[in-house]
């Protein structure tokens, strides 16, 4: 046999298209060529594969070796094709049986000794493989009565270090291996003890210990606002002088969020897998990302070649903290507009396009002016009106309009600071948040922040008194239609926390206080 064909997967954003690895051995001067739009990492696999085969005591063929990665117009990157290329050479040269290769897919980077190293995107690849298997079965089932049975689902052979995340996909048949020799023994032997065994995931997340809200002295309004935000998945901007507890509140916020569902955990893990950032210990723990204000637009939303997810995608189904918000470059902040509204980001480049999920909860914090003491009870602001306006205008009106809640965090009086903290613990707040969260899921199947316009009209209709006060607020505060709808969703969340079926005027009034924009204060 001089030709071997194996299956693998590439990565294109969150997608993992199938790649056919064709290895051909021909007579002629010895050479090793890889075609099919390989990136530098793939081209370098020639040296890794040669050394791995020789150190594993296989014979490296002194022939003309051609490896084709199809389809030819799909860019191929990283070292995940090392394993299928090495196995293809062994099968084409007759050093390994090739009769079972069609039932498997392969991915793994080889060390020079033949050990398998972890790869990026293992979860995305097994998810795509199981989806393709389901689609193949469905297409067979929709055919004529004489159609042949659907092919059996393929198994996926990959490095043992990726087994936990790859097997999180239900019905994925994952066979982890430690080395190239283990994979070869699987195909060369029929004895059970030398065959690779299916990996059963046992994700055991370690409870993440968050700082407790009881440590924060005072700031009852800010704590209440964050409770509302956690219950309805609303974005928050905390505004106040230095040292008032904005960062303390934001750091404790993840401790009151509702638990993740299996689907949310799988979505979050798939994004983390694209950067080698996922581990089984993080299963069902909401991500918490806090980039520095020097972060670029590409670091925040994603990009590069090939496109990689940015901070907003790595915070998918979790929290994105932007501390010192005006210190971020304005052009960087403006890229948040579309993801805040749509929950995803599309990275477009000349050669390819990638779509990443970005349904994150934004928690931002800022000072009211450059010196920080505008409105302080005991310290005088030294900034000019023009300086204050320039500082606050770093946050554009359209971006501010997309932030559900803008909360003032005033300085705590000295007498209160000297007292012992006796605030409400996070566990009690989290219990109320989870109860309101379950109420929303049972009523509409999603959190209030994700309601569409038609769903707002159906689920968020206030009483007549609430409607009147909302109309008055729209007139005096010059709200847009978006501001009106976000206030209604806030009122719905406040009513859910109170266990009320209908939105009353008190719920609307509290929501209006949370929607007062930075420039209205």
């Amino acid at each position: 046999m001089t030709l071997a064909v194996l299956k693998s997967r590439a990565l294109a954003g969150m997608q993992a298209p199938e790649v056919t690895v064709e290895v051909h051995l021909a007579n002629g001067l010895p050479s090793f060529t890889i075609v099919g739009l390989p990136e530098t990492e793939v081209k370098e696999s020639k040296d890794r594969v040669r050394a791995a085969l020789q150190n594993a005591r296989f014979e490296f063929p002194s022939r003309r070796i051609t490896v084709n990665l199809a389809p030819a117009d799909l860019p191929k990157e990283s070292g995940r094709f090392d394993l299928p290329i090495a196995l293809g050479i062994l099968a084409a040269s007759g050093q390994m049986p090739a009769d079972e290769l069609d039932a498997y897919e392969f991915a793994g980077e080889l060390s020079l000794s033949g050990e398998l190293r972890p790869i990026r995107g293992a979860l995305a690849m097994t998810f795509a493989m199981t989806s393709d298997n389901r689609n193949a079965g469905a297409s067979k089932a929709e055919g004529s009565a004489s159609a042949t049975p659907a092919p059996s689902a393929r198994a996926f052979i990959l490095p043992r270090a990726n087994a936990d995340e790859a097997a999180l996909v239900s019905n994925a048949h994952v066979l982890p291996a430690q080395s190239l020799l283990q994979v070869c023994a699987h195909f060369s032997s029929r004895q059970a003890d030398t065959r690779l065994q299916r990996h059963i995931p046992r994700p055991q997340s370690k409870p993440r210990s968050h700082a407790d809200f009881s440590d924060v002295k005072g700031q009852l309004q800010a704590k209440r606002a964050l409770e509302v935000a956690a219950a309805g998945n609303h974005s928050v901007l905390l505004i106040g002088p230095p040292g008032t507890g904005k960062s303390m509140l934001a750091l404790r916020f993840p401790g009151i969020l509702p638990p993740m569902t299996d689907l949310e955990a799988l979505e979050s893990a798939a994004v983390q897998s694209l950067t080698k950032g996922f581990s089984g210990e993080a299963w069902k723990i909401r991500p918490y990302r806090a980039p520095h204000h020097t972060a670029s637009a590409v670091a925040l939303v994603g990009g590069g070649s090939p496109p990689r997810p940015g901070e907003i995608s790595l915070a998918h189904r979790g929290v994105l903290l932007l501390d010192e918000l005006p210190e971020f470059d304005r052009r960087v902040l403006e890229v948040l507009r579309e993801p805040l509204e749509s929950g995803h980001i599309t990275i477009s480049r000349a050669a390819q396009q990638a779509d990443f999920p970005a349904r994150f909860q934004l928690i931002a914090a800022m000072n009211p002016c450059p010196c920080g003491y505008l409105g302080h009870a005991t310290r005088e602001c030294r900034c000019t009106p023009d300086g204050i306006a320039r500082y606050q205008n770093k946050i554009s009106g359209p971006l501010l309009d997309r932030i559900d809640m803008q909360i003032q965090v005033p300085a705590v009086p000295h007498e209160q600071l000297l007292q012992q903290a006796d605030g409400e613990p996070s566990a009690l707040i989290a219990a109320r948040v989870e109860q309101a969260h379950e109420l929303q899921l049972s009523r509409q199947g999603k959190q209030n922040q994700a309601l569409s316009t038609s769903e707002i009209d159906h689920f968020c209709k206030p009483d007549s008194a609430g409607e009147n006060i909302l109309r008055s607020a729209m007139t005096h505060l010059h709200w847009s239609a978006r501001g009106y709808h976000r206030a209604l969703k806030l009122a719905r969340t406040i009513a859910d926390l109170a266990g009320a079926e209908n939105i009353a005027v008190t719920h609307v009034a509290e929501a209006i206080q949370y929607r007062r924009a930075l420039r209205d204060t």
Side-chain angles (χ1 to χ4, degrees), residues 118-131:
I119 56 175
R120 291 190 307 107
L123 181 55
M125 288 191 286
T126 53
F127 184 81
M129 180 191 70
T130 55
S131 298

Side-chain angles (χ1 to χ4, degrees), residues 16-345:
E18 182 180 286
V19 172
T20 301
V21 181
E22 301 171 328
V23 181
H24 181 254
L25 303 184
N27 295 325
L29 293 176
S31 64
F32 195 165
T33 306
I34 300 177
V35 297
L37 212 59
E39 299 286 347
T40 302
E41 304 99 315
V42 182
K43 294 178 182 178
E44 291 174 345
S45 64
K46 294 185 291 186
D47 299 313
R48 292 193 296 269
V49 167
R50 178 185 287 106
L53 289 177
Q54 292 174 342
N55 287 322
R57 299 297 186 266
F58 289 106
E59 178 187 354
F60 189 81
S62 298
R63 303 176 67 181
R64 185 179 182 87
I65 303 173
T66 303
V67 177
N68 179 39
L69 306 177
D73 59 348
L74 178 68
K76 321 296 189 310
E77 50 88 23
S78 89
R80 69 175 57 87
F81 300 107
D82 289 2
L83 178 60
I85 290 174
L87 295 176
I89 292 175
L90 294 177
S93 61
Q95 300 180 70
M96 186 189 80
D99 52 339
E100 291 186 88
L101 293 179
D102 291 340
Y104 298 86
E105 293 188 11
F106 306 88
E109 179 182 333
L110 287 172
S111 69
L112 299 186
S113 64
E115 299 294 312
L116 285 176
R117 288 176 172 160
I119 56 175
R120 291 190 307 107
L123 181 55
M125 288 191 286
T126 53
F127 184 81
M129 180 191 70
T130 55
S131 298
D132 290 350
N133 288 334
R134 287 194 299 267
N135 294 337
S139 62
K140 288 293 184 180
E142 292 172 0
S144 62
S146 60
T148 58
S152 59
R154 293 196 189 111
F156 209 116
I157 296 179
L158 41 65
R160 186 172 299 279
N162 295 116
D164 282 337
E165 63 174 282
L168 291 174
V169 180
S170 59
N171 302 324
H173 195 93
V174 175
L175 303 178
Q178 193 71 34
S179 65
L180 175 64
L181 282 174
Q182 278 191 342
V183 180
C184 295
H186 175 81
F187 291 101
S188 301
S189 175
R190 295 296 182 265
Q191 298 180 6
D193 57 345
T194 58
R195 303 279 286 185
L196 298 176
Q197 301 299 314
R198 181 176 183 177
H199 184 75
I200 305 300
R202 295 181 179 86
Q204 297 178 351
S205 59
K206 292 184 178 179
R208 184 173 294 180
S209 57
H210 297 284
D212 201 280
F213 266 101
S214 62
D215 300 332
V216 182
K217 298 181 180 181
Q219 303 299 1
L220 297 180
Q221 182 188 15
K223 291 178 183 178
R224 166 65 177 175
L226 290 178
E227 179 180 342
V228 174
N233 195 37
H234 303 290
S235 52
V236 182
L237 173 61
L238 301 173
I239 309 162
T244 57
K246 302 186 298 295
S247 300
M248 284 184 67
L249 291 165
L251 186 64
R252 285 152 176 78
F253 181 73
I256 65 173
L257 292 175
M260 299 181 80
T261 64
D262 288 341
L263 179 59
E264 289 175 341
L266 189 60
E267 291 176 358
S268 176
V271 179
Q272 304 293 330
S273 171
L274 298 178
T275 62
K276 289 188 179 180
F278 176 77
S279 66
E281 296 179 353
W283 177 247
K284 285 198 172 183
I285 295 179
R286 293 191 182 274
Y288 182 82
R289 308 288 299 188
H292 193 260
H293 63 257
T294 55
S296 65
V298 171
L300 203 60
V301 302
S305 181
R308 300 283 182 89
E311 292 290 342
I312 64 173
S313 296
L314 296 175
H316 180 62
R317 300 297 183 181
V319 177
L320 176 68
L321 171 62
L322 299 183
D323 205 358
E324 304 296 344
L325 189 65
E327 301 302 327
F328 284 82
D329 188 274
R330 176 164 177 151
R331 291 173 296 179
V332 173
L333 293 179
E334 292 307 300
V335 301
L336 295 175
R337 289 192 196 178
E338 294 86 350
L340 277 172
E341 200 76 18
S342 63
H344 70 90
I345 181 71

